[in-house]
Amino acid sequence: SEWEGSYARLVADGGAAQLAEGYQRKGTMDGWKSVIQELEPFPMIGSMLLASLAAPLLGVIKEAPNFVIDLSGKSSHGKTSALKIAASPWGVPSSRDGGLVHSWDATGVGGERAAEMTCHLPLILDDTKRAKKKEAVAEMLYRVANGRGRLRGRPDGLREVSRWRTILLSSGEVPASSFTKDQGARARVLGLQGLPFKSGVRGELVSAVMRDISENYGHAGPMLVQWLQQNRDQWDELRDLYRQSVRNYSWCEDPALSAFRSRNAPYIALLQTAAHIAIDKLGIPIDWPAIEQLLLGSADESAKDSDVSAHAAEYLYEWAVSNTTRLANGGDTQD
């Protein structure tokens, strides 16, 4: 590889330099693939991994939008581990200082600067409950979806507006979309809910996976970027694959879901395009059919949730059905 042994140093402010330190490599690509092989039975983890690998494609497929893939569920059930695995293609799979898994406990400007610096790379934020306030999560979701920061002034004029192309990987006990009522931002969230590792999986397996991933990382991401650079003649083919996938995933037999599917189709299509490169070109052991099935089901649910009015009507209907006696008594709560 012409990149082998090369070295680049980013000259930036202290915070940005600290963020850049996480982009390192350790161990081998084969060692990392062996770990990923163990994770094939877990499509939720595979989905987060593909989202991480898909971020550079935003620079190739310009029409593909920024989006958020969010993993929610009970605490201490593997969400942070899933994010660490998703970070491993690019560098240090850790939530400690120097790692690529960052906390939602950040200022708005800090999050904006991180998104700007990780342009065409994934931005990984763990545990929404650590956000300083609910509005901070809502604001970050909107900024990621919008792809640009606020217009700010300075003594001699205006500061340059920050811009980014990224995929935000998030986790929390509740869906990230629940932090905002903005339908545009909610529609950019592809939510996955449940256990990243299947119920009954031994803790020893998870511990072994995390131990091995901490010894092998930082290879797959640069290899994917290198493949893109060396195969620019295939970019049109990738764009065609993406566009056809968007059309395929937008169609649904259920008319009630068609509009919802069309919102999420670009996200799933981008992940399929990333899977094509990861599996066919880089030989990464990923079970795309299982991931696709999971994503389609989750996309329908998260898309429904993005429609606030429909969600409210559904909630009202379910409440009315479960409280028929109370309604029949004119709202009397003494039943």
Side-chain angles (χ1 to χ4, degrees), residues 73-79 173:
K74 296 180 180 179
S75 60
S76 303
H77 280 73
K79 297 188 299 298
E173 293 185 3

Side-chain angles (χ1 to χ4, degrees), residues 10-316:
L10 294 179
V11 179
D13 61 83
Q18 187 177 34
L19 184 65
E21 288 175 1
Y23 295 94
Q24 303 177 18
R25 65 173 57 177
K26 183 178 181 181
T28 66
M29 179 66 170
D30 287 341
W32 180 81
K33 284 183 180 180
S34 296
V35 183
I36 302 306
Q37 181 80 54
E38 295 290 324
L39 298 170
E40 271 195 288
F42 311 111
M44 200 170 291
I45 294 177
S47 300
M48 303 301 281
L49 178 62
L50 276 179
S52 177
L53 290 169
L57 290 173
L58 294 171
V60 175
I61 306 172
K62 303 292 187 180
E63 67 213 68
N66 293 354
F67 69 95
V68 179
I69 183 165
D70 174 60
L71 182 56
S72 62
K74 296 180 180 179
S75 60
S76 303
H77 280 73
K79 297 188 299 298
T80 300
S81 295
L83 291 185
K84 290 178 180 178
I85 294 165
S88 66
W90 301 103
V92 183
S94 173
S95 54
R96 297 180 179 178
D97 289 345
L100 296 183
V101 180
H102 308 290
S103 171
W104 268 101
D105 182 16
T107 65
V109 174
E112 184 176 312
R113 292 289 180 264
E116 182 181 16
M117 184 171 175
T118 55
C119 188
H120 299 123
L121 294 171
L123 175 61
I124 305 175
L125 298 178
D126 184 31
D127 200 357
T128 51
K129 77 171 183 291
R130 296 191 63 184
K132 296 182 181 298
K133 54 184 180 179
K134 179 179 179 180
E135 292 75 14
V137 177
E139 186 174 346
M140 189 62 186
L141 295 179
Y142 177 81
R143 288 182 178 181
V144 167
N146 196 40
R148 59 183 296 166
R150 289 181 176 178
L151 184 65
R152 293 185 174 91
R154 62 184 185 186
D156 58 344
L158 295 175
R159 295 183 181 180
E160 184 177 351
V161 176
S162 301
R163 298 176 185 274
W164 51 81
R165 298 279 280 144
T166 188
I167 298 173
L168 170 60
L169 282 65
S170 172
S171 75
E173 293 185 3
V174 298
S177 58
S178 67
F179 286 83
T180 179
K181 295 181 180 180
D182 182 88
Q183 293 196 38
R186 291 168 68 95
R188 290 289 184 92
V189 178
L190 181 56
L192 305 176
Q193 299 184 41
L195 300 174
F197 295 94
K198 294 176 182 178
S199 179
V201 171
R202 299 193 315 270
E204 293 84 357
L205 172 62
V206 179
S207 297
V209 165
M210 300 315 298
R211 181 191 65 238
D212 292 343
I213 210 76
S214 69
E215 295 297 323
N216 298 275
Y217 58 77
H219 300 275
M223 285 184 66
L224 183 143
V225 172
Q226 184 175 1
W227 185 90
L228 288 173
Q229 291 290 349
Q230 293 178 344
N231 294 275
R232 296 178 71 93
D233 59 321
Q234 297 188 41
W235 285 15
D236 285 340
E237 179 182 330
L238 294 176
R239 295 178 184 119
D240 289 341
L241 172 62
Y242 168 80
R243 290 164 186 158
Q244 183 60 51
S245 296
V246 170
R247 289 191 288 270
N248 292 342
Y249 292 129
S250 296
W251 183 86
C252 181
E253 290 183 354
D254 184 352
L257 292 179
S258 293
F260 299 142
R261 276 282 181 94
S262 64
R263 295 182 185 180
N264 290 277
Y267 318 144
I268 304 177
L270 192 69
L271 297 189
Q272 184 186 39
T273 308
H276 166 70
I277 299 174
I279 298 169
D280 296 346
K281 310 302 181 183
L282 304 183
I284 299 175
I286 294 175
D287 186 356
W288 170 248
I291 293 171
E292 180 184 44
Q293 183 178 6
L294 171 70
L295 291 173
L296 288 174
S298 298
D300 290 344
E301 293 303 316
S302 63
K304 288 178 182 178
D305 184 61
S306 71
D307 191 326
V308 178
S309 58
H311 189 62
E314 182 180 359
Y315 176 83
L316 180 60

